[in-house]
Amino acid sequence: MSGLSKGIRKVEVALRWDPSPAGAPPTDLDLVAATYEAGDPYGAPAYLVHFDSRSPDGTIYLDRDSRDGQGFGWDEVMTLELGRLAGRYARVMVGVVIQQRTAHRTFVNVLNPGLRVREGYTVLADDDFGGVLGATAATVAEFVRDGSGDWAFRPGVHGFEDDPATFTRHMGRAHPS
């Protein structure tokens, strides 16, 4: 039956949160994707995609970026066209970073956060960050290429307490099972 499977080809990672109360500094969450080459799938990222950037080949990009959570529905949306990603990439990690410019914030300080990972209309993961309330950042999705070249999804939200730059260097490390 595996001959009929095409694996995951295109996914959408969406993030939402409510704006800060009146008079409080805005809350800014950002989606970040990191790609890893087959020769070093747990090492340094080959490249990062985040606000104001996209992958060199255009396969990973932000459809929507919010700096304050205002708007209706999903505030940040990232598309990953895994089926078009070059064969040298074996792994893609997606994370969420809380910007720390105006105040130190963890997920407990974010009003009504939500995450959805979906392929087409199929929801692969849905989370509210309740398991990582003390974290300033979290990995939220892992995509790995198997021996046949198909992509698979590994769910899980794993919190970090690092600044955004440190998080992006360490987000691809293996998590304990």
Side-chain angles (χ1 to χ4, degrees), residues 21-63:
T27 303
D28 184 5
L29 278 65
D30 286 312
L31 285 166
V32 179
T35 60
Y36 300 88
E37 293 187 351
D40 194 10
Y42 293 93
Y47 63 83
L48 295 172
V49 177
H50 50 78
F51 59 91
D52 295 332
S53 74
R54 66 183 304 148
S55 63
D57 59 4
T59 58
I60 302 173
Y61 51 90
L62 273 174
D63 297 309

Short mmCIF file of all heavy atoms in Angstrom, two decimals, residues 21-63:
data_model
loop_
_atom_site.label_atom_id
_atom_site.label_comp_id
_atom_site.label_asym_id
_atom_site.label_seq_id
_atom_site.Cartn_x
_atom_site.Cartn_y
_atom_site.Cartn_z
N PRO A 21 -4.32 43.68 26.20
CA PRO A 21 -5.33 44.63 26.70
C PRO A 21 -4.92 46.08 26.39
O PRO A 21 -3.72 46.37 26.21
CB PRO A 21 -5.33 44.39 28.21
CG PRO A 21 -4.66 43.08 28.42
CD PRO A 21 -3.74 42.87 27.26
N ALA A 22 -5.88 46.96 26.37
CA ALA A 22 -5.62 48.38 26.10
C ALA A 22 -4.57 48.91 27.07
O ALA A 22 -4.60 48.62 28.26
CB ALA A 22 -6.90 49.18 26.22
N GLY A 23 -3.60 49.64 26.55
CA GLY A 23 -2.55 50.23 27.37
C GLY A 23 -1.34 49.33 27.57
O GLY A 23 -0.30 49.79 28.01
N ALA A 24 -1.46 48.04 27.28
CA ALA A 24 -0.34 47.10 27.42
C ALA A 24 0.43 47.02 26.11
O ALA A 24 -0.14 47.24 25.04
CB ALA A 24 -0.85 45.72 27.81
N PRO A 25 1.73 46.73 26.18
CA PRO A 25 2.50 46.58 24.93
C PRO A 25 1.93 45.44 24.08
O PRO A 25 1.40 44.47 24.63
CB PRO A 25 3.91 46.24 25.39
CG PRO A 25 3.95 46.41 26.86
CD PRO A 25 2.55 46.48 27.36
N PRO A 26 2.04 45.55 22.76
CA PRO A 26 1.51 44.48 21.91
C PRO A 26 2.26 43.17 22.10
O PRO A 26 3.44 43.16 22.42
CB PRO A 26 1.69 45.02 20.50
CG PRO A 26 2.72 46.09 20.61
CD PRO A 26 2.66 46.62 22.00
N THR A 27 1.55 42.08 21.90
CA THR A 27 2.13 40.75 21.93
C THR A 27 2.39 40.34 20.49
O THR A 27 1.48 40.40 19.66
CB THR A 27 1.18 39.75 22.61
OG1 THR A 27 0.89 40.22 23.92
CG2 THR A 27 1.79 38.37 22.68
N ASP A 28 3.62 39.92 20.20
CA ASP A 28 4.00 39.57 18.83
C ASP A 28 4.57 38.15 18.82
O ASP A 28 5.62 37.90 19.40
CB ASP A 28 5.04 40.57 18.32
CG ASP A 28 5.44 40.33 16.86
OD1 ASP A 28 4.86 39.45 16.19
OD2 ASP A 28 6.35 41.04 16.40
N LEU A 29 3.86 37.24 18.19
CA LEU A 29 4.32 35.86 18.00
C LEU A 29 4.74 35.71 16.55
O LEU A 29 4.13 36.30 15.66
CB LEU A 29 3.21 34.86 18.32
CG LEU A 29 2.99 34.51 19.78
CD1 LEU A 29 2.51 35.68 20.58
CD2 LEU A 29 2.00 33.36 19.89
N ASP A 30 5.77 34.91 16.33
CA ASP A 30 6.25 34.69 14.96
C ASP A 30 6.46 33.21 14.69
O ASP A 30 7.00 32.49 15.53
CB ASP A 30 7.59 35.42 14.74
CG ASP A 30 7.42 36.91 14.62
OD1 ASP A 30 6.55 37.35 13.86
OD2 ASP A 30 8.16 37.65 15.30
N LEU A 31 6.03 32.78 13.51
CA LEU A 31 6.33 31.44 13.03
C LEU A 31 7.73 31.44 12.41
O LEU A 31 8.11 32.40 11.73
CB LEU A 31 5.32 31.02 11.96
CG LEU A 31 3.94 30.64 12.47
CD1 LEU A 31 2.94 30.57 11.32
CD2 LEU A 31 4.00 29.30 13.19
N VAL A 32 8.47 30.38 12.66
CA VAL A 32 9.82 30.22 12.14
C VAL A 32 9.96 28.79 11.63
O VAL A 32 9.57 27.85 12.33
CB VAL A 32 10.89 30.47 13.23
CG1 VAL A 32 12.28 30.26 12.67
CG2 VAL A 32 10.74 31.84 13.84
N ALA A 33 10.50 28.62 10.44
CA ALA A 33 10.78 27.28 9.92
C ALA A 33 12.27 27.15 9.68
O ALA A 33 12.93 28.10 9.25
CB ALA A 33 10.03 27.04 8.61
N ALA A 34 12.80 25.97 9.98
CA ALA A 34 14.22 25.68 9.77
C ALA A 34 14.33 24.40 8.96
O ALA A 34 13.65 23.41 9.25
CB ALA A 34 14.93 25.51 11.11
N THR A 35 15.17 24.43 7.93
CA THR A 35 15.39 23.23 7.11
C THR A 35 16.75 22.63 7.48
O THR A 35 17.69 23.35 7.81
CB THR A 35 15.39 23.57 5.61
OG1 THR A 35 16.42 24.52 5.36
CG2 THR A 35 14.05 24.12 5.17
N TYR A 36 16.82 21.31 7.39
CA TYR A 36 18.04 20.57 7.74
C TYR A 36 18.37 19.62 6.61
O TYR A 36 17.50 18.92 6.09
CB TYR A 36 17.83 19.81 9.06
CG TYR A 36 17.51 20.75 10.19
CD1 TYR A 36 16.19 21.11 10.46
CD2 TYR A 36 18.52 21.30 10.96
CE1 TYR A 36 15.90 22.01 11.47
CE2 TYR A 36 18.23 22.19 11.98
CZ TYR A 36 16.91 22.54 12.23
OH TYR A 36 16.63 23.44 13.22
N GLU A 37 19.65 19.60 6.26
CA GLU A 37 20.10 18.75 5.17
C GLU A 37 20.25 17.31 5.63
O GLU A 37 20.48 17.04 6.83
CB GLU A 37 21.40 19.28 4.59
CG GLU A 37 21.19 20.62 3.90
CD GLU A 37 22.41 21.12 3.16
OE1 GLU A 37 23.49 20.54 3.30
OE2 GLU A 37 22.25 22.12 2.42
N ALA A 38 20.15 16.38 4.70
CA ALA A 38 20.21 14.95 5.01
C ALA A 38 21.51 14.56 5.71
O ALA A 38 21.51 13.69 6.58
CB ALA A 38 20.04 14.13 3.73
N GLY A 39 22.61 15.21 5.39
CA GLY A 39 23.89 14.88 6.00
C GLY A 39 24.01 15.31 7.46
O GLY A 39 24.88 14.82 8.17
N ASP A 40 23.15 16.20 7.92
CA ASP A 40 23.20 16.70 9.29
C ASP A 40 21.79 17.12 9.74
O ASP A 40 21.54 18.29 9.99
CB ASP A 40 24.17 17.89 9.37
CG ASP A 40 24.55 18.25 10.79
OD1 ASP A 40 24.23 17.48 11.72
OD2 ASP A 40 25.17 19.32 10.98
N PRO A 41 20.86 16.15 9.84
CA PRO A 41 19.46 16.50 10.11
C PRO A 41 19.19 17.07 11.50
O PRO A 41 18.10 17.61 11.74
CB PRO A 41 18.72 15.18 9.90
CG PRO A 41 19.74 14.13 10.14
CD PRO A 41 21.05 14.71 9.68
N TYR A 42 20.16 16.98 12.42
CA TYR A 42 19.97 17.53 13.77
C TYR A 42 21.01 18.59 14.09
O TYR A 42 21.18 18.98 15.24
CB TYR A 42 20.00 16.41 14.81
CG TYR A 42 18.80 15.50 14.67
CD1 TYR A 42 18.88 14.35 13.90
CD2 TYR A 42 17.60 15.81 15.28
CE1 TYR A 42 17.78 13.53 13.73
CE2 TYR A 42 16.49 14.99 15.12
CZ TYR A 42 16.59 13.86 14.35
OH TYR A 42 15.49 13.06 14.18
N GLY A 43 21.71 19.07 13.09
CA GLY A 43 22.76 20.07 13.29
C GLY A 43 22.23 21.48 13.10
O GLY A 43 21.09 21.80 13.47
N ALA A 44 23.04 22.31 12.51
CA ALA A 44 22.65 23.70 12.24
C ALA A 44 21.68 23.73 11.05
O ALA A 44 21.83 22.96 10.10
CB ALA A 44 23.88 24.53 11.93
N PRO A 45 20.70 24.62 11.10
CA PRO A 45 19.77 24.72 9.97
C PRO A 45 20.48 25.18 8.70
O PRO A 45 21.40 26.00 8.75
CB PRO A 45 18.76 25.78 10.41
CG PRO A 45 19.06 26.14 11.80
CD PRO A 45 20.38 25.56 12.17
N ALA A 46 20.06 24.64 7.57
CA ALA A 46 20.58 25.09 6.28
C ALA A 46 20.11 26.51 6.01
O ALA A 46 20.86 27.34 5.49
CB ALA A 46 20.12 24.15 5.16
N TYR A 47 18.87 26.81 6.36
CA TYR A 47 18.34 28.17 6.30
C TYR A 47 17.09 28.26 7.17
O TYR A 47 16.49 27.25 7.54
CB TYR A 47 18.05 28.63 4.86
CG TYR A 47 17.01 27.84 4.12
CD1 TYR A 47 15.65 28.11 4.30
CD2 TYR A 47 17.36 26.84 3.23
CE1 TYR A 47 14.68 27.39 3.61
CE2 TYR A 47 16.41 26.12 2.54
CZ TYR A 47 15.07 26.41 2.73
OH TYR A 47 14.12 25.70 2.06
N LEU A 48 16.74 29.51 7.51
CA LEU A 48 15.56 29.81 8.31
C LEU A 48 14.58 30.63 7.48
O LEU A 48 15.00 31.43 6.64
CB LEU A 48 15.93 30.63 9.54
CG LEU A 48 16.81 29.99 10.59
CD1 LEU A 48 17.23 31.02 11.62
CD2 LEU A 48 16.08 28.83 11.27
N VAL A 49 13.30 30.43 7.74
CA VAL A 49 12.26 31.25 7.14
C VAL A 49 11.47 31.85 8.30
O VAL A 49 11.02 31.13 9.20
CB VAL A 49 11.32 30.43 6.23
CG1 VAL A 49 10.21 31.30 5.68
CG2 VAL A 49 12.12 29.79 5.10
N HIS A 50 11.32 33.17 8.28
CA HIS A 50 10.57 33.88 9.32
C HIS A 50 10.04 35.17 8.71
O HIS A 50 10.13 35.35 7.48
CB HIS A 50 11.46 34.15 10.54
CG HIS A 50 12.77 34.78 10.21
ND1 HIS A 50 12.92 36.12 9.92
CD2 HIS A 50 13.99 34.22 10.06
CE1 HIS A 50 14.18 36.38 9.65
NE2 HIS A 50 14.86 35.24 9.71
N PHE A 51 9.51 36.07 9.54
CA PHE A 51 8.98 37.33 9.02
C PHE A 51 10.01 37.99 8.11
O PHE A 51 11.21 37.91 8.32
CB PHE A 51 8.57 38.26 10.16
CG PHE A 51 9.70 38.61 11.09
CD1 PHE A 51 10.48 39.72 10.87
CD2 PHE A 51 9.98 37.79 12.18
CE1 PHE A 51 11.54 40.03 11.71
CE2 PHE A 51 11.04 38.09 13.03
CZ PHE A 51 11.82 39.21 12.79
N ASP A 52 9.54 38.62 7.07
CA ASP A 52 10.38 39.31 6.09
C ASP A 52 11.34 38.38 5.34
O ASP A 52 12.37 38.84 4.82
CB ASP A 52 11.19 40.45 6.73
CG ASP A 52 10.30 41.56 7.24
OD1 ASP A 52 9.20 41.74 6.68
OD2 ASP A 52 10.68 42.23 8.21
N SER A 53 11.06 37.08 5.29
CA SER A 53 11.92 36.19 4.51
C SER A 53 11.09 35.05 3.93
O SER A 53 9.94 34.86 4.30
CB SER A 53 13.06 35.62 5.37
OG SER A 53 12.57 34.64 6.26
N ARG A 54 11.71 34.32 3.04
CA ARG A 54 11.11 33.11 2.47
C ARG A 54 12.26 32.19 2.10
O ARG A 54 13.41 32.61 2.05
CB ARG A 54 10.21 33.42 1.28
CG ARG A 54 10.94 33.98 0.10
CD ARG A 54 10.05 34.37 -1.06
NE ARG A 54 9.24 33.27 -1.48
CZ ARG A 54 8.02 33.40 -1.99
NH1 ARG A 54 7.49 34.58 -2.14
NH2 ARG A 54 7.33 32.36 -2.38
N SER A 55 11.95 30.95 1.81
CA SER A 55 13.02 30.02 1.44
C SER A 55 13.62 30.44 0.10
O SER A 55 12.94 31.06 -0.72
CB SER A 55 12.48 28.59 1.38
OG SER A 55 11.51 28.48 0.37
N PRO A 56 14.89 30.11 -0.13
CA PRO A 56 15.54 30.50 -1.39
C PRO A 56 14.80 29.99 -2.63
O PRO A 56 14.81 30.65 -3.66
CB PRO A 56 16.93 29.87 -1.29
CG PRO A 56 17.17 29.66 0.16
CD PRO A 56 15.82 29.42 0.77
N ASP A 57 14.17 28.83 -2.52
CA ASP A 57 13.46 28.26 -3.67
C ASP A 57 11.96 28.56 -3.67
O ASP A 57 11.23 28.09 -4.53
CB ASP A 57 13.70 26.75 -3.74
CG ASP A 57 13.24 26.03 -2.48
OD1 ASP A 57 12.66 26.67 -1.58
OD2 ASP A 57 13.47 24.81 -2.39
N GLY A 58 11.48 29.32 -2.68
CA GLY A 58 10.08 29.71 -2.63
C GLY A 58 9.13 28.62 -2.13
O GLY A 58 7.92 28.76 -2.24
N THR A 59 9.65 27.55 -1.54
CA THR A 59 8.79 26.45 -1.08
C THR A 59 8.23 26.66 0.33
O THR A 59 7.29 25.99 0.71
CB THR A 59 9.55 25.12 -1.11
OG1 THR A 59 10.71 25.23 -0.29
CG2 THR A 59 9.94 24.74 -2.54
N ILE A 60 8.81 27.57 1.11
CA ILE A 60 8.34 27.87 2.46
C ILE A 60 8.19 29.37 2.57
O ILE A 60 9.15 30.11 2.32
CB ILE A 60 9.32 27.35 3.54
CG1 ILE A 60 9.54 25.84 3.39
CG2 ILE A 60 8.80 27.69 4.94
CD1 ILE A 60 10.61 25.28 4.31
N TYR A 61 6.99 29.84 2.92
CA TYR A 61 6.76 31.28 2.95
C TYR A 61 5.61 31.62 3.90
O TYR A 61 4.76 30.78 4.21
CB TYR A 61 6.45 31.81 1.55
CG TYR A 61 5.37 31.04 0.84
CD1 TYR A 61 4.03 31.39 0.95
CD2 TYR A 61 5.69 29.93 0.06
CE1 TYR A 61 3.04 30.66 0.30
CE2 TYR A 61 4.71 29.20 -0.59
CZ TYR A 61 3.39 29.57 -0.46
OH TYR A 61 2.42 28.84 -1.09
N LEU A 62 5.63 32.86 4.38
CA LEU A 62 4.56 33.36 5.23
C LEU A 62 3.47 33.94 4.35
O LEU A 62 3.75 34.77 3.48
CB LEU A 62 5.08 34.46 6.16
CG LEU A 62 5.68 34.03 7.47
CD1 LEU A 62 6.28 35.22 8.20
CD2 LEU A 62 4.66 33.35 8.36
N ASP A 63 2.25 33.51 4.59
CA ASP A 63 1.10 34.08 3.88
C ASP A 63 0.57 35.28 4.64
O ASP A 63 -0.03 36.16 4.06
CB ASP A 63 -0.03 33.04 3.77
CG ASP A 63 0.38 31.84 2.95
OD1 ASP A 63 0.87 32.03 1.83
OD2 ASP A 63 0.21 30.71 3.43
#
